[in-house]
Amino acid sequence: MGNTVAREDFEWVYTDQPHADRRKEILAKHPEIKALMKPDYNLIWVVVLMVLAQLTAFYLVKDLDWKWVVFWAYVFGSCISHSMTLAIHEISHNSAFGNSKAMWNRWFGIFANLPLGLPYSISFKRYHMDHHRYLGGDGIDVDIPTNFEGWFFCTRFRKFIWIVLQPFFYAIRPLCINPKPITRLEIINLLAQLSFDVVIYYLWGVKSTFYMLAGSVLGLGLHPISGHFIAEHYMFLKGHETYSYYGPLNMLTFNVGYHNEHHDFPNIPGKSLPLVKKIAAEYYDNLPQYNSWIKVLYDFVMDDTISPYSRMKRQLKGEVKQD
């Protein structure tokens, strides 16, 4: 089962997050990076093709045996679904249509959300902006686990279960840490999603509906791509808050692995983050980095000094502005 880990609380820090200062330094030295701060219109067509791919899969699985429905939900559907959540991440940063057409991005996010089966896009955008502005902020950044998660998931077996249940914790954590009033767009997101789910059930039945929902849950739980949840900010090395991953799964995840680069320049689309790293190599090459998300998952479970408590946390001061 593994021994109880030594850490009994988060790593409280009293300094600002490093990304704003590094961004200023890099832009002063490499002003050409500003040219990368523009929409990625290719993202629109990639998302449309992903939606069409899932619609095709919904149709193809409707008459399969249940064992094959489950198989394809994990092998194919989970990859597309998790990739789509990261497309929605890109869209939340207005990468599809640009900042001047913010509402176009919100509507497009609702469209991209459809094959996931669960409403996600609008709420994610609201909380994700807090994550960037107030990284590690106590009571604000819902990417930080709850005290219960840190306290309870403290053995190897329990940490494994925590990884399996990650979709559940990501869904309920905002309600526990930082509940927000429901907005009109969130209601539209919900109604659009429920309408889509009903149509899929009516057209192709329970197997297609199960494939859709199971793919989303499985893809965000015990799955190689889910290594990014832990790789991004869990403190495997003391003093380092954000980590980048430079392995091949970036091709399926809109370069979300370039996470130091993303937090430094959240208004640069994922497509261009490798260029940021190349231009400002002296800032990124010597930072801690990963080449395998599977190894991150393995190390998280097996290392008795790492747990959901292994995050930097800040007590925020002054006025806090949230979406």
Side-chain angles (χ1 to χ4, degrees):
M1 290 291 211
N3 299 318
T4 302
V5 297
R7 180 172 287 279
E8 295 181 353
D9 196 1
F10 298 102
E11 180 80 10
W12 287 88
V13 293
Y14 302 94
T15 57
D16 292 334
Q17 58 167 300
H19 300 289
D21 288 341
R22 188 160 59 220
R23 174 166 57 249
K24 291 176 184 176
E25 268 192 54
I26 292 174
L27 286 177
K29 191 173 180 180
H30 301 287
E32 65 272 26
I33 284 178
K34 292 179 183 178
L36 302 177
M37 299 175 182
K38 58 185 180 181
D40 174 15
Y41 295 117
N42 288 330
L43 177 63
I44 299 168
W45 308 114
V46 172
V47 166
V48 170
L49 288 173
M50 289 169 70
V51 171
L52 292 176
Q54 278 294 69
L55 286 173
T56 302
F58 295 163
Y59 173 78
L60 292 175
V61 303
K62 66 184 179 68
D63 295 320
L64 294 180
D65 288 342
W66 274 106
K67 63 181 179 183
W68 290 112
V69 176
V70 174
F71 174 82
W72 287 115
Y74 188 77
V75 171
F76 182 76
S78 63
C79 295
I80 295 289
S81 291
H82 200 139
S83 183
M84 188 64 89
T85 67
L86 294 167
I88 290 171
H89 167 252
E90 287 284 290
I91 296 165
S92 76
H93 285 281
N94 294 335
S95 291
F97 296 98
N99 292 322
S100 63
K101 296 180 177 177
M103 280 306 299
W104 288 38
N105 290 281
R106 302 293 78 74
W107 295 119
F108 191 57
I110 291 173
F111 168 76
N113 196 152
L114 294 177
L116 296 179
L118 301 166
Y120 165 80
S121 176
I122 300 300
S123 296
F124 172 79
K125 192 259 193 258
R126 297 180 73 199
Y127 283 102
H128 188 64
M129 295 305 103
D130 294 341
H131 171 64
H132 275 273
R133 291 190 196 109
Y134 308 111
L135 180 63
D138 184 34
I140 301 296
D141 184 0
V142 299
D143 194 59
I144 299 285
T146 61
N147 279 305
F148 169 78
E149 291 170 74
W151 167 77
F152 184 77
F153 295 99
C154 59
T155 67
R156 293 177 183 179
F157 177 72
R158 291 181 188 179
K159 286 190 288 182
F160 175 81
I161 297 301
W162 184 76
I163 289 172
V164 172
L165 296 178
Q166 275 199 101
F168 170 75
F169 287 112
Y170 269 96
I172 67 167
R173 203 181 287 153
L175 304 176
C176 299
I177 295 177
N178 186 16
K180 297 184 178 186
I182 296 175
T183 65
R184 182 179 68 92
L185 274 179
E186 284 176 305
I187 293 171
I188 293 172
N189 193 178
L190 172 64
L191 294 177
Q193 191 62 61
L194 290 175
S195 300
F196 179 82
D197 295 352
V198 168
V199 168
I200 294 301
Y201 179 79
Y202 178 78
L203 289 177
W204 297 321
V206 67
K207 290 181 179 177
S208 296
T209 307
F210 173 86
Y211 167 90
M212 172 172 59
L213 297 172
S216 295
V217 173
L218 294 171
L220 297 169
L222 186 62
H223 195 281
I225 297 177
S226 289
H228 81 86
F229 289 131
I230 293 169
E232 290 166 358
H233 296 293
Y234 283 80
M235 198 171 50
F236 281 80
L237 291 175
K238 187 174 177 62
H240 290 278
E241 185 167 14
T242 306
Y243 301 75
S244 287
Y245 156 84
Y246 299 124
L249 288 177
N250 276 308
M251 292 186 290
L252 296 178
T253 57
F254 301 90
N255 286 328
V256 76
Y258 287 76
H259 217 65
N260 268 301
E261 295 84 348
H262 172 60
H263 271 267
D264 289 353
F265 298 99
N267 55 344
I268 294 180
K271 178 188 74 171
S272 298
L273 292 178
L275 268 176
V276 172
K277 181 180 184 295
K278 183 178 180 181
I279 293 169
E282 70 272 24
Y283 287 91
Y284 296 113
D285 285 353
N286 295 320
L287 292 177
Q289 55 190 252
Y290 302 113
N291 291 302
S292 170
W293 277 336
I294 295 175
K295 188 175 187 303
V296 168
L297 291 171
Y298 177 84
D299 289 346
F300 179 82
V301 171
M302 300 304 293
D303 188 336
D304 291 335
T305 67
I306 303 294
S307 78
Y309 268 143
S310 300
R311 293 289 298 264
M312 286 191 183
K313 203 171 184 182
R314 292 178 171 83
Q315 190 71 50
L316 297 175
K317 299 176 182 178
E319 185 181 4
V320 174
K321 296 180 180 180
Q322 300 183 68
D323 283 359

